[in-house]
Each structure stands twice: as C-alpha cells, then as structure tokens.
C-alpha cells in the first residue's frame, strides 16, 4: 500500500491509526516494524498509539528511526560481523577527525583532500552499498576521483573502514550498510526477521536512499505487507542520497499495490495551498494529485524587494515586530527560512537590534558541545576500550602528564602492529612504543581508572555510573573551578546531561521491571539522536533555519528569504532538470510550512565572497500564480536587474496602493504592514511621547504609555489599550498620535 500524503494532510495520524487498527485486529505488536526518520516522530506516534490501545501494547512495537532500529538488530547479531556488542557509533565529527588523521598519515594535502569532501564520498558509497574494495575496482568512481585531483580517495576509504573496524566502531552510514551485509551474507538472519516482521510501515518514504530501500524490500519480501507513506512533492534530500525513484517506482516493485491519496490540507489557507500547487505543477517527475483545503481564503502571498541583504534583514525584523504587536502573535509563531545557513547573519543582526529573541536550528547542538563530548568520550571508552577517537580526546583531559610526544609514539606503534591504541598502552612489551617508565606509569593509572568503570557497566544504572565517572576523572572538578560565565555554563551543561541520565535510568521496562538501564543503553540513545530531536519547543523565539531543516514543521508566519537566482535555486542545482525539480520541491516545502501568511523576499544587491553583486529575482517567484500574490507598487515600479517584470502579479484581492500604506485584509481590517518602505511616525510626535502620555493608535484606539525603552531610531513603547490590552510598539512605525 502507498499513501501519498500532501503537505499538512495529517499523515502521522494515518500511520498511527493503521498501527492501532492492526493491533485491534489481532496482529501481535512484536510483528510490526514502523520506521521513521526522527526519534521525535517515532515518539509522537508511539504516544498517540498508547492513547488508543494502551501503553503495554504500544511499547512492544518495533518503532524508531532506520538507524536506531537497525543499530538494535546489529547489537543482537554483532558476533556474525565480528563486532563487540558495545560497538561505538561515530558521529560526523568523529568520522571527519579520523579521516583527517588518515589523510595526514598518507602525507596528503588536506586542502585538496578535504575531510568533509572525503567523508561525503565515503558516505555516498555506503548508501549505495559500495564497500572499499568495490569502490577501488569501480573504474567510473576512481575516474571521477582522479579528475577531481583526489586519486587516493579509495585508499583513504579502505584505511577508514579498517580503522573503524579495529576501533569497534560504526558510523551512521554503517548502521544501514552493515545491516545489508548481515541480510546478504546470513540467509538465516534474513529469514528470521522476514518472518518476525509481518507488517512494515515506512514514514517519509520519498526520503529513503538505496540502502534503506533494499532493507525494506528484503524484509517485506515474504509477507508483502508493506505500507509506505510519503509525498513525492517533498522529496528534497537528493544531496544525502535520497532517491525520489523509490516512491515514483513503488508500483513496479509491488504491482498489486493499493494507492491512497490524502489531498486535504488542514494546515494552510486556500491562498497558500493554491499558490504552492501552482509552483509544483511545473515539475514533470511527480505523482498527480490536487491538494485542497476547506480553510479560510487567507492573505495573499506578499513579495518584498529590498535594496540589499542588510535591508532585507531590517524588513523582516520590523515586519515580525509589527505583526507580533498588532496580531498578538508569539515569537514562536514566526519562521525565517533560507537556502543556506550562511544567510542568517543579516537577520540575526536586525533581530538583535530590536531585541527580538531567536533560535537558529542546525547550529551547535547540545551533544556537540565540548564539555558534553568530553564526558561522553569517557563513557564510550569505558564501554569500548578499542575506541581510538574517544581515547585520544580524553587521555590527557583533565591534564595527567600524557602529552603529544607520548601520543605520537603510541599512534606509530598502533599503526605498525595494526592494533588499537589501548592494546599498545596495555601491552608495552608485546607492542613496544619506547614510552619512558614514568609516563608508562601514568598510562597504567589511566588504564586502571577506565577498567574500574568498565567493571561496573552491567552493575550500575546509567546515572549512577555516569556521575561516578564525572567525579572520579576530575572532569567535574575541572569545570567547577572555572568561574567565568562560560565555565559556569559548561558546568551547568554537564549537570543537565546528568539530569537526562537520571530520567533515563529511572525508566521502567514493563516486560522486565528488574532490568537496569545501563550506560551502554544510554549511549545508544544519545548516538542516534538527530537535530530535530534536540530542539526545545517551549522557547518563545523566532525560528531561523534552512528550508531543509524546516520539513515537517509549521508556523503561522513564514518568511522565505534570499529568493534570487543562483542562491535559490542554488547555482549548483542548475545543471539538470532533476536538480532544478528538487530545488522547486524545496520551494514548495517552504511555502507549505505557512499556516496563515507566507512572505517572499529578495534583495537587489548582496555581498557574496566579499564582493557586492547585482541579483536577479528567483524564477520561482514568477512561477507562483499571480492571482495569489500581492506586489506593492515599489516593487512593480522599479523592476530589478535584467528587467524582470512582476506587474502581472497584482493580486485580485487588492487595488494598487501608495507605498507605505497598509494593505487591507478580508473583512476590511488592516493587514500587518510588511512593505519595507513604511512611512515613519512624525518625528515631532515621536520625540514628544513620554511614559504616561495618552496616545491613539489606528487599530487599538486610545491608550496610555507605561514604559519607554531603547534609543532612537529603535525606541520601543509599552502601551496599555483598554480594548486590546498591553502592546509593545516600535515608535518609528507605530504611527501613534498624542491625545
């Protein structure tokens, strides 16, 4: 079965009720495998199912991300692949660090062999189930590497795979790659899981890569009970290996499949839904559908034209301030979406200047902070002594007199004897590294300390052992002694990690109430967290993120910024129709994040690589049906570079207006002004307003100023209006009159 779920159509509810229906129909929960792309989505689905059928049944479903479910299977079957049960899962930072070390050991230039680029090549190979040997034998792949000036990439891949294996470590891609190896090389394992999982459900099927596709196809081959849910119009992860062909060709894999279309959008206004439909209709590769909504008509999509990227930042921040003041919205109702993270600067600066709090998604996450990674490295090494990356990170932190010279000697010996660093440290006679006796004594102390933690792995719960490690290594003491604001914050972050471990340790397994939630169990959970699982939804801040990061989210007010050719669509996506269609799907995703209003914005000039460049508005702006757009006269009368004409985009809801006027809304109520050419409050009036002044506002009526803060031109007034309550207004835009 394939369910094509349009944007905002409630696909999570469909999956939830299908699982509940299966269980109510007598299907054993243990026979259901449900795969998602974030732990957050899996948790939400499990909670919903619990409400319908009860906690016990819901807890028995195999539900989670592809990576978490197959990590669980790999831990159960690890002996077949000759991996330790407590194998380490390397994150991207660990992988790039190891690749950087390998590049250095090969004597290669890391400006040519950039660790990030090499990691990307290795990742793409694994997602296509190409191992190191196959990689080096593939003349086409090796030819690409040679042409790019990186002919040694295959050898680096081989060395990386060998080092990971020696360290008892898998990276994220290995969790899928090794699962495919397991199912390929051990028919009895494939047979067992094919019969165990009688019903497969897959969320966001359009985002699956070849490795994920093959696992699903193999596991579902016996029972043929495969239900996939997705939207081809939201397939935007081609750069990560996602293959839209998986969803487009589903009918070829399962010829007798049933197709269901969820076409009603419950999220957005009619204008937003119809505008998004008019854009995505330009794509050739798609499954035909007509998304519709019974929601209200809504405001037209507004097009802003700014003279520069800094002007664009000011336009967005001022617009947010006004909408918030006039509509009583929260900061968390707003999102600023851009094509690349580097675009955030002008918006951050503008928001800070008028004290609007914001949160950047995709920035440094909690688990990537140095102090957290330091403590986690102690946990990793305690569970797996072969984890070289963890050992190198903390062997001399806090300082214990084991310096770079010692580490270099250990590394050379480990490479010579093809063993992990721990083996060289622990067996100095078997693997001589010419370490002085005094230093070997310090190494022995470190070894004993780690082994004492290892001996308690199965005896203590995650929190108790985690706290002991934090204290006995001196890490807590080191952080506590730093009384700078940064030091205090780092110490508090460690406390927050321990709090999370306490919550984890206190959890009860209903099938085995006496089981201890151990440190290795906690480490698996942490290693498999994704960016989308770490966000605090309770913070009232404006959200800023790339459009890729926004998928699955929704906001009342969405600003889609930087809509210029070569920026969005990206210059790197213009070499083929397939790439351009993915960029158009990305634009579709951006528009459909909006519930109430979508605002499109572009700049006429923008600094790129330190040079001021003229910009041409994005082709996607023209692809929005003009009847759903409002273009203020300032944008119409002064067409930007290359003479693109937007005069046809006058909206049927509006008559042409004077620059700076407030566009009307349905019902004749004023719409929040978003034109960046707003007429300011009269300067004389602005200077005369004081705390206690009686003022009048065009919408809120008469009120009293109870607080003035900030300096001109960004002075803000807190005003109490008897009819509307307390409002905070930016004086230069508020158009207040003294009574």
């Amino acid at each position: 079965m394939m369910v094509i779920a349009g944007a905002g159509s409630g696909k999570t509810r469909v999956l939830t009720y299908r699982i509940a229906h299966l269980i109510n129909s007598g299907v054993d929960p243990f026979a259901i495998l449900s795969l998602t792309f974030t732990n957050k989505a899996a948790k939400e689905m499990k909670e919903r199912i619990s409400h319908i059928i009860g906690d016990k049944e819901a807890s028995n479903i195999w539900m989670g991300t592809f990576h978490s479910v197959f990590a669980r299977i790999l831990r159960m079957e690890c002996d077949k692949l000759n991996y330790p049960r407590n194998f380490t899962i390397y994150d991207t930072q660990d992988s790039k660090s190891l690749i950087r070390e390998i590049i250095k050991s090969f004597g290669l230039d890391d400006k040519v062999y950039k660790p990030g680029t090499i990691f990307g090549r290795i990742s793409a190979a694994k997602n296509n189930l190409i191992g190191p040997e196959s990689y080096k034998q593939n003349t086409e792949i090796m030819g690409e590497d040679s042409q790019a000036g990186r002919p040694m990439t295959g050898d680096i891949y081989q060395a990386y795979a060998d080092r990971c294996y020696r360290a008892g470590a898998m990276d994220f891609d290995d969790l899928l790659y090794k699962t495919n190896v397991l199912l390929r090389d051990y028919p009895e394992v494939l047979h067992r899981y094919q019969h165990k999982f009688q019903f497969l459900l897959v969320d966001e099927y359009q985002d699956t890569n070849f490795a994920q596709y093959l696992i699903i196809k193999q596991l579902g081959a016996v029972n043929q009970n495969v239900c996939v849910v997705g939207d081809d119009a939201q397939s935007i992860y081609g750069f990560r290996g996602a293959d839209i062909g998986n969803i487009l060709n589903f009918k070829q894999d399962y010829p007798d499949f049933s197709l269901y279309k969820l076409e009603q959008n419950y999220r957005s206004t009619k204008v937003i839904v119809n505008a998004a439909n008019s854009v995505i209709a330009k794509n050739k590769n798609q499954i035909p559908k007509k998304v519709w909504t019974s929601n209200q008509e809504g405001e037209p999509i507004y097009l802003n034209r700014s003279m520069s990227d800094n002007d664009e930042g000011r336009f967005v921040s001022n617009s947010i301030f006004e909408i918030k003041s006039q509509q009583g919205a929260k900061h968390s109702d707003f999102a600023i979406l851009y094509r690349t993270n580097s675009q955030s600067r002008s918006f951050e600066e503008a928001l800070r200047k008028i004290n609007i709090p914001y949160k950047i998604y995709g920035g440094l996450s909690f688990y990537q902070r140095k102090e957290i990674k330091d403590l986690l490295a102690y946990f990793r090494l305690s569970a797996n002594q072969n984890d070289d990356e963890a050992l190198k990170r903390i062997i001399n932190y806090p300082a214990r007199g084991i310096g770079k010279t010692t580490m270099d000697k250990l590394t050379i010996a480990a490479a010579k004897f093809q063993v992990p660093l721990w083996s060289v440290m622990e067996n100095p006679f078997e693997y001589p590294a010419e370490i002085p006796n005094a230093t070997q004594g310090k190494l022995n102390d470190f070894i004993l300390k780690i082994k004492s933690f290892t001996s308690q792995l199965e005896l203590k719960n995650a929190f108790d052992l985690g706290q002991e490690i934090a204290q006995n290594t001196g890490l807590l003491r080191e952080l506590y002694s730093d009384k700078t604001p940064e030091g205090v914050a780092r110490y508090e972050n460690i406390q927050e990690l321990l709090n999370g471990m306490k919550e984890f340790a206190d959890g009860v397994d209903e099938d085995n109430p006496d089981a201890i939630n151990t440190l290795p169990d906690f480490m698996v959970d942490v290693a498999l967290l994704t960016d989308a699982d770490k966000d605090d939804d309770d913070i009232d801040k404006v959200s800023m993120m790339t459009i890729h990061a926004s998928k699955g989210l929704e906001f009342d007010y969405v600003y889609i910024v930087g809509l210029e050719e070569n920026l969005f669509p990206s210059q790197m996506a213009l070499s083929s129709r397939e790439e351009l269609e993915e960029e158009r799907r990305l634009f579709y995703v951006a528009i459909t994040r909006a519930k109430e209003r979508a605002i499109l914005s572009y700049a006429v000039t923008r600094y790129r690589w330190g040079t001021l460049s003229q910009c041409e508005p994005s082709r996607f702006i023209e692809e929005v049906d003009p009847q759903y757009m409002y273009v203020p006269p300032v944008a119409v009368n002064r067409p930007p570079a290359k003479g693109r004409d937007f005069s046809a985009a006058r909206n049927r809801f509006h008559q042409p207006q004077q620059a700076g006027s407030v566009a009307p809304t349905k019902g004749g109520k004023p719409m929040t002004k978003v034109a960046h050419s707003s007429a300011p409050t009269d300067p004389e009036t602005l200077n005369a307003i004081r705390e206690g002044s009686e003022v009048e506002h065009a919408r809120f009526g008469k009120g009293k100023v109870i607080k003035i803060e900030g300096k001109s031109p960004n002075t803000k007034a807190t005003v109490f209006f008897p009819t509307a309550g307390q409002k905070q207004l930016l004086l230069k835009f508020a158009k207040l009159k003294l009574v």
Side-chain angles (χ1 to χ4, degrees):
M1 170 193 303
M2 180 163 69
V3 180
I4 296 299
S9 62
K11 68 180 174 58
T12 305
R13 189 177 190 276
V14 168
L15 279 170
T16 300
Y17 274 78
R18 176 169 169 78
I19 293 171
H21 172 72
L22 288 173
I23 294 171
N24 285 334
S25 302
V27 174
D28 183 354
F30 285 104
I32 298 173
L33 172 61
S34 179
L35 298 167
T36 66
F37 273 83
T38 67
N39 293 302
K40 193 175 184 179
K43 185 182 176 187
E44 182 185 338
M45 283 175 60
K46 194 165 277 193
E47 285 172 355
R48 290 195 196 184
I49 293 167
S50 295
H51 288 310
I52 303 170
I53 60 172
D55 292 342
K56 192 165 196 297
E57 297 282 38
S59 66
N60 293 335
I61 303 164
W62 276 64
M63 180 182 286
T65 64
F66 281 89
H67 293 93
S68 65
V69 166
F70 298 122
R72 183 176 169 188
I73 289 174
L74 286 169
R75 288 194 190 279
M76 294 163 65
E77 310 289 346
C78 57
D79 57 312
K80 296 176 180 61
L81 299 176
N82 204 20
Y83 267 81
R85 185 179 179 278
N86 289 332
F87 62 79
T88 298
I89 300 173
Y90 278 174
D91 64 17
T92 303
Q93 200 174 328
D94 295 321
S95 296
K96 287 181 181 177
S97 172
L98 177 53
I99 289 168
R100 187 176 288 107
E101 188 181 304
I102 292 167
I103 290 167
K104 185 180 176 182
S105 71
F106 280 14
L108 299 171
D109 184 352
D110 63 6
K111 291 183 178 62
V112 176
Y113 289 86
K114 294 178 180 175
T117 303
I118 302 300
F119 174 71
R121 290 289 284 176
I122 294 172
S123 175
K126 287 182 183 177
N127 286 331
N128 285 291
L129 305 183
I130 299 170
E133 288 298 328
S134 302
Y135 189 102
K136 290 196 289 183
Q137 290 167 10
N138 188 309
T139 52
E140 185 180 345
I141 292 174
M142 294 300 284
E144 289 173 3
D145 287 339
S146 293
Q147 208 166 10
R150 294 183 289 267
M152 294 288 289
T153 302
D155 295 302
I156 297 170
Y157 182 10
Q158 183 70 66
Y160 174 73
D162 293 343
R163 289 284 294 273
C164 285
Y165 177 71
R166 280 195 341 238
M170 295 188 196
D171 62 22
F172 253 49
D173 297 312
D174 281 327
L175 298 177
L176 302 177
Y177 176 72
K178 301 286 187 188
T179 300
N180 272 293
V181 170
L182 186 69
L183 300 179
R184 180 195 69 194
D185 294 352
Y186 296 90
E188 72 280 11
V189 174
L190 174 61
H191 180 272
R192 183 161 68 252
Y193 287 105
Q194 282 176 332
H195 288 81
K196 175 179 176 57
F197 299 129
Q198 295 169 31
F199 291 86
L200 271 68
L201 296 95
V202 186
D203 192 12
E204 306 283 16
Y205 189 65
Q206 77 281 348
D207 292 336
T208 53
N209 60 30
F210 180 64
Q212 291 161 328
Y213 161 82
L214 204 58
I215 292 171
I216 296 161
K217 198 163 186 339
Q218 290 182 95
L219 291 179
V222 171
N223 292 294
Q224 293 276 307
N225 289 323
V226 179
C227 170
V228 303
V229 181
D231 181 7
D232 56 295
Q234 297 186 66
S235 177
I236 58 173
Y237 293 115
F239 67 99
R240 287 188 197 161
D243 184 357
I244 192 174
N246 293 347
I247 196 166
L248 295 178
N249 300 325
F250 188 79
K251 60 187 175 188
Q252 293 172 16
D253 292 325
Y254 306 94
D256 58 345
F257 84 117
S258 299
L259 173 65
Y260 300 92
K261 296 179 183 179
L262 304 183
E263 295 175 302
Q264 182 174 3
N265 179 303
Y266 297 96
R267 172 190 299 154
S268 308
T269 65
K270 283 187 174 73
V271 165
I272 290 168
V273 169
N274 292 335
N277 285 346
S278 71
V279 171
I280 203 64
K282 309 288 190 296
N283 272 9
K284 286 191 170 68
N285 282 334
Q286 60 177 305
I287 297 167
K289 59 185 165 298
K290 179 65 177 174
V291 180
W292 61 276
T293 185
S294 60
N295 291 344
Q296 64 180 1
E297 192 75 29
E299 299 297 336
I301 290 177
Y302 188 96
L303 178 65
N304 168 68
R305 170 186 186 266
S306 294
M307 294 307 296
S308 69
D309 46 355
N310 286 333
D311 284 343
E312 186 180 43
R314 283 189 289 272
F315 156 75
V316 171
S317 61
N318 290 338
S319 172
I320 289 172
F321 186 87
E322 289 193 29
I323 292 179
K324 184 176 181 298
S325 301
Q326 295 179 15
Q327 307 290 345
K330 302 192 297 290
H331 289 122
S332 55
D333 293 334
F334 297 87
I336 303 170
L337 307 182
Y338 33 72
R339 181 63 180 81
T340 63
N341 273 311
S342 60
Q343 290 170 253
S344 71
R345 179 199 55 80
S346 62
F347 303 101
E348 288 188 73
E349 289 178 1
L351 291 171
R352 276 202 301 267
K353 280 177 182 169
I354 56 174
N355 296 320
I356 293 178
Y358 62 87
K359 173 182 174 59
I360 295 183
Y361 285 64
L364 190 66
S365 70
F366 179 78
Y367 291 100
Q368 292 297 327
R369 297 179 192 278
K370 180 187 180 302
E371 62 277 10
I372 300 299
K373 292 211 73 167
D374 289 339
L375 184 51
L376 292 178
Y378 273 106
F379 296 169
R380 283 166 46 178
L381 193 62
S382 300
N384 172 18
Q385 272 88 63
N386 291 342
D387 186 343
D388 284 355
E389 292 305 302
L391 187 147
K392 285 184 290 187
R393 186 176 189 98
I394 44 87
I395 192 165
N396 199 38
Y397 180 77
R400 51 178 64 89
I402 302 171
K404 183 179 183 302
T405 303
T406 301
M407 287 308 299
D408 287 345
K409 289 179 177 179
L410 292 171
T411 302
I412 290 167
K416 178 182 176 183
F417 295 106
Q418 297 286 291
V419 294
L421 290 168
W422 184 271
S423 299
V424 180
M425 287 165 48
E426 195 178 26
N427 304 289
F429 298 110
E430 190 175 349
Y431 307 113
E434 299 179 10
I435 304 294
N437 289 338
T439 307
Q440 186 62 50
K442 292 170 185 173
L443 292 174
N444 290 339
D445 291 342
F446 178 74
I447 289 167
L448 287 172
K449 191 183 290 288
I450 297 299
K451 281 189 168 179
S452 73
F453 303 145
T454 304
S455 67
Q456 302 175 71
L457 282 176
E458 303 299 325
L459 303 176
K460 287 187 172 179
N461 68 37
F463 171 73
D464 290 340
L465 182 53
Q467 191 169 45
E468 180 178 328
I469 291 173
Q471 289 171 342
N472 287 359
T473 55
L475 195 145
L476 265 185
R477 185 170 60 250
E478 177 94 0
L479 293 174
Y480 185 73
S481 63
D482 183 353
K483 297 301 183 186
T484 64
E486 294 78 13
V488 171
R490 285 193 285 268
Y491 182 76
E492 288 172 349
N493 285 338
I494 293 292
Q495 292 298 333
E496 183 58 33
L497 176 64
L498 293 171
N499 290 342
M501 297 178 74
K502 177 65 174 167
E503 187 179 338
F504 175 85
D506 289 345
V508 177
D509 182 347
E510 292 187 6
D511 292 328
N512 188 3
D514 298 324
I516 297 174
N517 292 322
T518 65
L519 189 62
D521 296 332
F522 176 76
M523 291 304 295
V524 171
D525 267 24
V526 168
L528 295 169
L529 283 174
T530 65
D531 284 345
D533 301 314
K534 302 166 199 158
D535 302 322
D536 187 344
D537 296 328
D538 299 326
I539 298 174
D540 186 27
K541 295 182 177 180
V542 173
S543 297
M544 295 173 59
M545 66 190 83
T546 63
I547 302 165
H548 284 101
S550 75
K551 191 158 153 307
L553 304 177
E554 58 182 40
F555 304 90
D556 287 354
Y557 307 97
V558 171
Y559 296 82
I560 305 166
V561 299
L563 274 167
E564 296 133 36
E565 285 292 298
N566 298 326
L567 185 56
F568 191 20
S570 167
Q571 189 172 11
M572 294 185 290
L574 299 177
S575 59
S576 69
R577 181 166 60 81
E578 288 75 20
E579 290 173 338
L580 181 59
E581 290 203 351
E582 177 151 323
E583 288 287 293
R584 188 176 288 115
R585 292 193 294 269
L586 192 59
F587 184 53
Y588 175 83
V589 166
I591 295 175
T592 55
R593 298 312 92 203
K595 289 158 55 172
E596 299 292 331
R597 294 195 60 196
I599 296 107
L600 311 183
S601 178
Y602 69 95
V604 176
T605 62
R606 182 179 298 274
Y607 275 98
R608 304 192 75 173
W609 309 110
T611 304
L612 187 65
S613 306
Q614 291 289 316
C615 304
E616 181 183 357
S618 169
R619 68 189 69 194
F620 295 148
I621 296 173
E622 286 184 326
E623 292 180 357
V624 178
D625 189 324
Q627 67 175 313
Y628 305 118
M629 290 267 284
Y630 172 69
V631 184
V634 65
V636 175
N637 296 334
R638 290 191 287 166
K642 299 199 181 176
R644 283 215 171 169
D645 181 12
F646 292 109
S647 56
R650 295 294 182 97
N651 189 273
R652 60 191 166 92
F653 299 112
H654 297 274
Q655 295 300 319
Q657 299 170 356
Q658 296 302 311
S661 63
V662 181
T665 65
K666 283 181 70 182
K669 294 180 181 177
M671 177 177 87
T672 301
K673 176 174 69 255
V674 288
H676 93 164
S677 54
S678 304
T681 302
D682 172 64
E684 196 173 313
T685 304
L686 199 151
N687 293 331
I689 292 174
R690 300 279 184 272
E691 289 184 7
S693 294
E694 297 282 340
V695 294
E696 187 173 357
H697 186 273
R699 180 174 178 197
F700 304 132
K702 292 181 180 179
K704 185 174 184 177
V705 179
I706 57 178
K707 188 178 180 184
I708 297 280
E709 55 187 324
K711 293 181 179 180
S712 180
N714 295 315
T715 311
K716 289 186 292 186
T718 304
V719 186
F720 177 76
F721 297 97
T723 57
Q726 190 169 299
K727 302 287 182 184
Q728 194 177 54
L729 307 172
L730 192 65
L731 281 183
K732 66 179 178 182
F733 289 125
K735 295 188 181 177
L736 295 176
K737 293 179 182 175
L738 280 168
V739 178

